[in-house]
Amino acid sequence: MMDKEITDDLIIKILEAGSWAPSGLNNQPWRFIIVKNPKIKKDLADCTKYGKIIKNAPVLIAVFFDQNKGYNRTKDMQAIGACIQNMLISIHAFNLGAVWLGEILNQREQVEKILAVPNSFELQAVLAIGHPTEAEKKNTSSRISLEKITWREKYGNSL
Amino acid sequence: MMDKEITDDLIIKILEAGSWAPSGLNNQPWRFIIVKNPKIKKDLADCTKYGKIIKNAPVLIAVFFDQNKGYNRTKDMQAIGACIQNMLISIHAFNLGAVWLGEILNQREQVEKILAVPNSFELQAVLAIGHPTEAEKKNTSSRISLEKITWREKYGNSL
């Protein structure tokens, strides 16, 4: 990703899109930390084998689950996923790109220490946001065909 | 919601949008059952206190997590949430509306029996899809202000 500036105005709009995700009981358990500071980025980069992505991204959004606001683990994680997806779609709509970093959860305690979050904040993901190159804009991902994952009325009746 | 027909073509497009959600290791753990049959809808309606919503919706999409495909519970639930959110956005883009039913998970074993799914399929949500009335199109939901859930660089530095 090229290191061009991403305005505060855009970051706020991305976070707003995330915050409008649905959540069970409308509990909105997501919390965000915006990271641009190079020293903090470097510290975070050391928490994942994808550190290069972190260092090269002009903006990171660290997404947390506030366990104090949770009511049902499955539904809370779904809500966090919906929130992240809203942000990814918003990022794409702004002609930006993002990498959803999940491997960093293996070092979540270290990340939580670096970002000085309260005990109730559990790291969920880090979004590394930037301006994608033409090569990065190409979708190289594949999908299982819908026929293999969908049925009609009951399991077994093929699509 | 008014009971007008929702074409198969639209349903497929909605499911495709869901299936393009990101997932950890691209494991795509979501599975779908489309329900239109009135008898099955009635049986499902008996599994939730929101049964009326189910009975009135022309189409249901029951979303499952295939535990055989899971690799990390937190990330798998996030992926399911991202998938559902993609479907909700797609539904909205088609001028339709949906209710994300989560309370029905309290009776998930009963739902899984009705839909005859394999043991590895865990109910995640039921989307009740229909044509929203003007009143239903109004957003009556509220949000915590971004200032209360976002910080800069580290926790404590206000937005």
Side-chain angles (χ1 to χ4, degrees), chain B residues 116-141:
Chain B
V117 296
N119 282 337
S120 66
F121 280 33
E122 176 190 340
L123 184 69
Q124 293 289 304
V126 172
L127 302 186
I129 306 172
H131 295 81
T133 61
E134 287 309 310
E136 285 169 330
K137 281 181 186 169
K138 291 210 176 81
N139 178 7
T140 56
S141 169

PDB file of all heavy atoms in Angstrom, chain B residues 116-141:
ATOM      1  N   ALA B 116     -33.432 -30.476   9.865  1.00  0.00           N
ATOM      2  CA  ALA B 116     -32.753 -31.761   9.604  1.00  0.00           C
ATOM      3  C   ALA B 116     -31.273 -31.604   9.255  1.00  0.00           C
ATOM      4  O   ALA B 116     -30.738 -32.330   8.402  1.00  0.00           O
ATOM      5  CB  ALA B 116     -33.480 -32.525   8.486  1.00  0.00           C
ATOM      6  N   VAL B 117     -30.613 -30.662   9.915  1.00  0.00           N
ATOM      7  CA  VAL B 117     -29.205 -30.424   9.585  1.00  0.00           C
ATOM      8  C   VAL B 117     -28.293 -31.446  10.271  1.00  0.00           C
ATOM      9  O   VAL B 117     -28.670 -32.042  11.281  1.00  0.00           O
ATOM     10  CB  VAL B 117     -28.765 -28.983   9.996  1.00  0.00           C
ATOM     11  CG1 VAL B 117     -29.547 -27.952   9.193  1.00  0.00           C
ATOM     12  CG2 VAL B 117     -28.913 -28.751  11.486  1.00  0.00           C
ATOM     13  N   PRO B 118     -27.087 -31.646   9.722  1.00  0.00           N
ATOM     14  CA  PRO B 118     -26.124 -32.552  10.363  1.00  0.00           C
ATOM     15  C   PRO B 118     -25.713 -32.028  11.752  1.00  0.00           C
ATOM     16  O   PRO B 118     -25.876 -30.842  12.039  1.00  0.00           O
ATOM     17  CB  PRO B 118     -24.921 -32.516   9.416  1.00  0.00           C
ATOM     18  CG  PRO B 118     -25.386 -31.889   8.152  1.00  0.00           C
ATOM     19  CD  PRO B 118     -26.568 -31.043   8.486  1.00  0.00           C
ATOM     20  N   ASN B 119     -25.165 -32.907  12.552  1.00  0.00           N
ATOM     21  CA  ASN B 119     -24.759 -32.539  13.919  1.00  0.00           C
ATOM     22  C   ASN B 119     -23.770 -31.387  13.963  1.00  0.00           C
ATOM     23  O   ASN B 119     -23.740 -30.631  14.931  1.00  0.00           O
ATOM     24  CB  ASN B 119     -24.103 -33.737  14.608  1.00  0.00           C
ATOM     25  CG  ASN B 119     -25.144 -34.730  15.084  1.00  0.00           C
ATOM     26  OD1 ASN B 119     -26.309 -34.365  15.284  1.00  0.00           O
ATOM     27  ND2 ASN B 119     -24.738 -35.979  15.268  1.00  0.00           N
ATOM     28  N   SER B 120     -22.958 -31.269  12.927  1.00  0.00           N
ATOM     29  CA  SER B 120     -21.928 -30.228  12.955  1.00  0.00           C
ATOM     30  C   SER B 120     -22.490 -28.832  12.665  1.00  0.00           C
ATOM     31  O   SER B 120     -21.790 -27.844  12.842  1.00  0.00           O
ATOM     32  CB  SER B 120     -20.825 -30.542  11.935  1.00  0.00           C
ATOM     33  OG  SER B 120     -21.333 -30.473  10.615  1.00  0.00           O
ATOM     34  N   PHE B 121     -23.740 -28.741  12.232  1.00  0.00           N
ATOM     35  CA  PHE B 121     -24.328 -27.433  11.909  1.00  0.00           C
ATOM     36  C   PHE B 121     -24.911 -26.791  13.166  1.00  0.00           C
ATOM     37  O   PHE B 121     -25.808 -27.353  13.793  1.00  0.00           O
ATOM     38  CB  PHE B 121     -25.457 -27.579  10.876  1.00  0.00           C
ATOM     39  CG  PHE B 121     -25.007 -27.708   9.444  1.00  0.00           C
ATOM     40  CD1 PHE B 121     -23.812 -28.341   9.121  1.00  0.00           C
ATOM     41  CD2 PHE B 121     -25.785 -27.201   8.410  1.00  0.00           C
ATOM     42  CE1 PHE B 121     -23.412 -28.477   7.799  1.00  0.00           C
ATOM     43  CE2 PHE B 121     -25.388 -27.333   7.087  1.00  0.00           C
ATOM     44  CZ  PHE B 121     -24.203 -27.965   6.780  1.00  0.00           C
ATOM     45  N   GLU B 122     -24.425 -25.626  13.500  1.00  0.00           N
ATOM     46  CA  GLU B 122     -24.904 -24.893  14.679  1.00  0.00           C
ATOM     47  C   GLU B 122     -25.644 -23.642  14.223  1.00  0.00           C
ATOM     48  O   GLU B 122     -25.076 -22.794  13.540  1.00  0.00           O
ATOM     49  CB  GLU B 122     -23.688 -24.506  15.544  1.00  0.00           C
ATOM     50  CG  GLU B 122     -24.064 -23.665  16.742  1.00  0.00           C
ATOM     51  CD  GLU B 122     -22.836 -23.082  17.458  1.00  0.00           C
ATOM     52  OE1 GLU B 122     -21.713 -23.614  17.286  1.00  0.00           O
ATOM     53  OE2 GLU B 122     -23.019 -22.080  18.159  1.00  0.00           O
ATOM     54  N   LEU B 123     -26.905 -23.536  14.600  1.00  0.00           N
ATOM     55  CA  LEU B 123     -27.704 -22.365  14.205  1.00  0.00           C
ATOM     56  C   LEU B 123     -27.052 -21.082  14.701  1.00  0.00           C
ATOM     57  O   LEU B 123     -26.654 -20.992  15.864  1.00  0.00           O
ATOM     58  CB  LEU B 123     -29.126 -22.467  14.760  1.00  0.00           C
ATOM     59  CG  LEU B 123     -30.071 -21.331  14.332  1.00  0.00           C
ATOM     60  CD1 LEU B 123     -30.398 -21.415  12.845  1.00  0.00           C
ATOM     61  CD2 LEU B 123     -31.348 -21.335  15.165  1.00  0.00           C
ATOM     62  N   GLN B 124     -26.973 -20.089  13.827  1.00  0.00           N
ATOM     63  CA  GLN B 124     -26.368 -18.808  14.170  1.00  0.00           C
ATOM     64  C   GLN B 124     -27.363 -17.662  14.172  1.00  0.00           C
ATOM     65  O   GLN B 124     -27.209 -16.697  14.930  1.00  0.00           O
ATOM     66  CB  GLN B 124     -25.264 -18.478  13.150  1.00  0.00           C
ATOM     67  CG  GLN B 124     -24.083 -19.411  13.222  1.00  0.00           C
ATOM     68  CD  GLN B 124     -23.262 -19.178  14.468  1.00  0.00           C
ATOM     69  OE1 GLN B 124     -22.807 -18.068  14.721  1.00  0.00           O
ATOM     70  NE2 GLN B 124     -23.083 -20.205  15.274  1.00  0.00           N
ATOM     71  N   ALA B 125     -28.345 -17.740  13.298  1.00  0.00           N
ATOM     72  CA  ALA B 125     -29.351 -16.668  13.200  1.00  0.00           C
ATOM     73  C   ALA B 125     -30.382 -17.089  12.173  1.00  0.00           C
ATOM     74  O   ALA B 125     -30.140 -17.984  11.359  1.00  0.00           O
ATOM     75  CB  ALA B 125     -28.698 -15.364  12.743  1.00  0.00           C
ATOM     76  N   VAL B 126     -31.537 -16.454  12.240  1.00  0.00           N
ATOM     77  CA  VAL B 126     -32.528 -16.587  11.173  1.00  0.00           C
ATOM     78  C   VAL B 126     -32.814 -15.176  10.675  1.00  0.00           C
ATOM     79  O   VAL B 126     -33.088 -14.280  11.471  1.00  0.00           O
ATOM     80  CB  VAL B 126     -33.828 -17.261  11.664  1.00  0.00           C
ATOM     81  CG1 VAL B 126     -34.908 -17.214  10.584  1.00  0.00           C
ATOM     82  CG2 VAL B 126     -33.555 -18.711  12.081  1.00  0.00           C
ATOM     83  N   LEU B 127     -32.704 -14.990   9.359  1.00  0.00           N
ATOM     84  CA  LEU B 127     -33.071 -13.704   8.765  1.00  0.00           C
ATOM     85  C   LEU B 127     -34.471 -13.832   8.190  1.00  0.00           C
ATOM     86  O   LEU B 127     -34.736 -14.711   7.360  1.00  0.00           O
ATOM     87  CB  LEU B 127     -32.094 -13.309   7.654  1.00  0.00           C
ATOM     88  CG  LEU B 127     -30.617 -13.191   8.025  1.00  0.00           C
ATOM     89  CD1 LEU B 127     -29.815 -12.638   6.845  1.00  0.00           C
ATOM     90  CD2 LEU B 127     -30.433 -12.302   9.245  1.00  0.00           C
ATOM     91  N   ALA B 128     -35.362 -12.974   8.655  1.00  0.00           N
ATOM     92  CA  ALA B 128     -36.731 -12.933   8.133  1.00  0.00           C
ATOM     93  C   ALA B 128     -36.786 -11.787   7.139  1.00  0.00           C
ATOM     94  O   ALA B 128     -36.613 -10.625   7.510  1.00  0.00           O
ATOM     95  CB  ALA B 128     -37.717 -12.721   9.272  1.00  0.00           C
ATOM     96  N   ILE B 129     -36.991 -12.129   5.885  1.00  0.00           N
ATOM     97  CA  ILE B 129     -36.867 -11.144   4.806  1.00  0.00           C
ATOM     98  C   ILE B 129     -38.224 -10.810   4.210  1.00  0.00           C
ATOM     99  O   ILE B 129     -39.053 -11.701   3.992  1.00  0.00           O
ATOM    100  CB  ILE B 129     -35.946 -11.693   3.683  1.00  0.00           C
ATOM    101  CG1 ILE B 129     -34.601 -12.116   4.280  1.00  0.00           C
ATOM    102  CG2 ILE B 129     -35.753 -10.651   2.576  1.00  0.00           C
ATOM    103  CD1 ILE B 129     -33.699 -12.842   3.294  1.00  0.00           C
ATOM    104  N   GLY B 130     -38.444  -9.544   3.953  1.00  0.00           N
ATOM    105  CA  GLY B 130     -39.717  -9.144   3.347  1.00  0.00           C
ATOM    106  C   GLY B 130     -39.651  -7.740   2.802  1.00  0.00           C
ATOM    107  O   GLY B 130     -38.579  -7.142   2.710  1.00  0.00           O
ATOM    108  N   HIS B 131     -40.829  -7.242   2.426  1.00  0.00           N
ATOM    109  CA  HIS B 131     -40.934  -5.877   1.915  1.00  0.00           C
ATOM    110  C   HIS B 131     -41.353  -4.975   3.065  1.00  0.00           C
ATOM    111  O   HIS B 131     -42.494  -5.060   3.512  1.00  0.00           O
ATOM    112  CB  HIS B 131     -41.969  -5.810   0.798  1.00  0.00           C
ATOM    113  CG  HIS B 131     -41.587  -6.592  -0.419  1.00  0.00           C
ATOM    114  ND1 HIS B 131     -41.768  -7.963  -0.496  1.00  0.00           N
ATOM    115  CD2 HIS B 131     -41.016  -6.210  -1.580  1.00  0.00           C
ATOM    116  CE1 HIS B 131     -41.332  -8.384  -1.683  1.00  0.00           C
ATOM    117  NE2 HIS B 131     -40.869  -7.355  -2.358  1.00  0.00           N
ATOM    118  N   PRO B 132     -40.471  -4.120   3.524  1.00  0.00           N
ATOM    119  CA  PRO B 132     -40.818  -3.297   4.690  1.00  0.00           C
ATOM    120  C   PRO B 132     -41.893  -2.265   4.346  1.00  0.00           C
ATOM    121  O   PRO B 132     -41.937  -1.743   3.238  1.00  0.00           O
ATOM    122  CB  PRO B 132     -39.498  -2.611   5.056  1.00  0.00           C
ATOM    123  CG  PRO B 132     -38.664  -2.658   3.826  1.00  0.00           C
ATOM    124  CD  PRO B 132     -39.100  -3.868   3.059  1.00  0.00           C
ATOM    125  N   THR B 133     -42.746  -1.997   5.311  1.00  0.00           N
ATOM    126  CA  THR B 133     -43.707  -0.901   5.181  1.00  0.00           C
ATOM    127  C   THR B 133     -42.950   0.415   5.376  1.00  0.00           C
ATOM    128  O   THR B 133     -41.795   0.425   5.812  1.00  0.00           O
ATOM    129  CB  THR B 133     -44.795  -1.006   6.261  1.00  0.00           C
ATOM    130  OG1 THR B 133     -44.141  -0.917   7.544  1.00  0.00           O
ATOM    131  CG2 THR B 133     -45.541  -2.335   6.169  1.00  0.00           C
ATOM    132  N   GLU B 134     -43.603   1.512   5.064  1.00  0.00           N
ATOM    133  CA  GLU B 134     -42.955   2.820   5.250  1.00  0.00           C
ATOM    134  C   GLU B 134     -42.514   3.003   6.702  1.00  0.00           C
ATOM    135  O   GLU B 134     -41.423   3.498   6.973  1.00  0.00           O
ATOM    136  CB  GLU B 134     -43.883   3.958   4.803  1.00  0.00           C
ATOM    137  CG  GLU B 134     -44.032   4.072   3.282  1.00  0.00           C
ATOM    138  CD  GLU B 134     -42.692   4.120   2.538  1.00  0.00           C
ATOM    139  OE1 GLU B 134     -41.822   4.922   2.928  1.00  0.00           O
ATOM    140  OE2 GLU B 134     -42.507   3.326   1.579  1.00  0.00           O
ATOM    141  N   ALA B 135     -43.373   2.590   7.618  1.00  0.00           N
ATOM    142  CA  ALA B 135     -43.035   2.741   9.038  1.00  0.00           C
ATOM    143  C   ALA B 135     -41.798   1.909   9.385  1.00  0.00           C
ATOM    144  O   ALA B 135     -40.922   2.357  10.129  1.00  0.00           O
ATOM    145  CB  ALA B 135     -44.219   2.316   9.899  1.00  0.00           C
ATOM    146  N   GLU B 136     -41.726   0.716   8.804  1.00  0.00           N
ATOM    147  CA  GLU B 136     -40.592  -0.160   9.120  1.00  0.00           C
ATOM    148  C   GLU B 136     -39.287   0.342   8.508  1.00  0.00           C
ATOM    149  O   GLU B 136     -38.207  -0.038   8.960  1.00  0.00           O
ATOM    150  CB  GLU B 136     -40.878  -1.590   8.627  1.00  0.00           C
ATOM    151  CG  GLU B 136     -41.889  -2.329   9.507  1.00  0.00           C
ATOM    152  CD  GLU B 136     -42.384  -3.624   8.880  1.00  0.00           C
ATOM    153  OE1 GLU B 136     -42.443  -3.735   7.641  1.00  0.00           O
ATOM    154  OE2 GLU B 136     -42.733  -4.533   9.655  1.00  0.00           O
ATOM    155  N   LYS B 137     -39.404   1.170   7.478  1.00  0.00           N
ATOM    156  CA  LYS B 137     -38.187   1.695   6.845  1.00  0.00           C
ATOM    157  C   LYS B 137     -37.504   2.751   7.715  1.00  0.00           C
ATOM    158  O   LYS B 137     -36.330   3.044   7.527  1.00  0.00           O
ATOM    159  CB  LYS B 137     -38.521   2.312   5.478  1.00  0.00           C
ATOM    160  CG  LYS B 137     -38.698   1.276   4.381  1.00  0.00           C
ATOM    161  CD  LYS B 137     -39.010   1.955   3.061  1.00  0.00           C
ATOM    162  CE  LYS B 137     -39.342   0.936   1.980  1.00  0.00           C
ATOM    163  NZ  LYS B 137     -39.895   1.571   0.768  1.00  0.00           N
ATOM    164  N   LYS B 138     -38.245   3.318   8.639  1.00  0.00           N
ATOM    165  CA  LYS B 138     -37.662   4.360   9.499  1.00  0.00           C
ATOM    166  C   LYS B 138     -36.688   3.741  10.492  1.00  0.00           C
ATOM    167  O   LYS B 138     -37.001   2.754  11.149  1.00  0.00           O
ATOM    168  CB  LYS B 138     -38.777   5.095  10.258  1.00  0.00           C
ATOM    169  CG  LYS B 138     -39.637   5.946   9.338  1.00  0.00           C
ATOM    170  CD  LYS B 138     -40.184   7.172  10.083  1.00  0.00           C
ATOM    171  CE  LYS B 138     -40.957   8.075   9.142  1.00  0.00           C
ATOM    172  NZ  LYS B 138     -42.348   7.593   8.923  1.00  0.00           N
ATOM    173  N   ASN B 139     -35.524   4.316  10.601  1.00  0.00           N
ATOM    174  CA  ASN B 139     -34.526   3.836  11.550  1.00  0.00           C
ATOM    175  C   ASN B 139     -34.816   4.430  12.928  1.00  0.00           C
ATOM    176  O   ASN B 139     -34.695   5.632  13.130  1.00  0.00           O
ATOM    177  CB  ASN B 139     -33.130   4.245  11.089  1.00  0.00           C
ATOM    178  CG  ASN B 139     -32.066   3.798  12.069  1.00  0.00           C
ATOM    179  OD1 ASN B 139     -32.349   3.070  13.026  1.00  0.00           O
ATOM    180  ND2 ASN B 139     -30.843   4.227  11.843  1.00  0.00           N
ATOM    181  N   THR B 140     -35.201   3.591  13.853  1.00  0.00           N
ATOM    182  CA  THR B 140     -35.538   4.090  15.194  1.00  0.00           C
ATOM    183  C   THR B 140     -34.471   3.679  16.204  1.00  0.00           C
ATOM    184  O   THR B 140     -34.652   3.841  17.400  1.00  0.00           O
ATOM    185  CB  THR B 140     -36.894   3.524  15.650  1.00  0.00           C
ATOM    186  OG1 THR B 140     -36.819   2.089  15.578  1.00  0.00           O
ATOM    187  CG2 THR B 140     -38.021   3.994  14.747  1.00  0.00           C
ATOM    188  N   SER B 141     -33.363   3.161  15.686  1.00  0.00           N
ATOM    189  CA  SER B 141     -32.299   2.688  16.564  1.00  0.00           C
ATOM    190  C   SER B 141     -31.386   3.856  16.945  1.00  0.00           C
ATOM    191  O   SER B 141     -31.308   4.856  16.244  1.00  0.00           O
ATOM    192  CB  SER B 141     -31.532   1.602  15.796  1.00  0.00           C
ATOM    193  OG  SER B 141     -30.350   1.261  16.431  1.00  0.00           O
TER     194      SER B 141
END
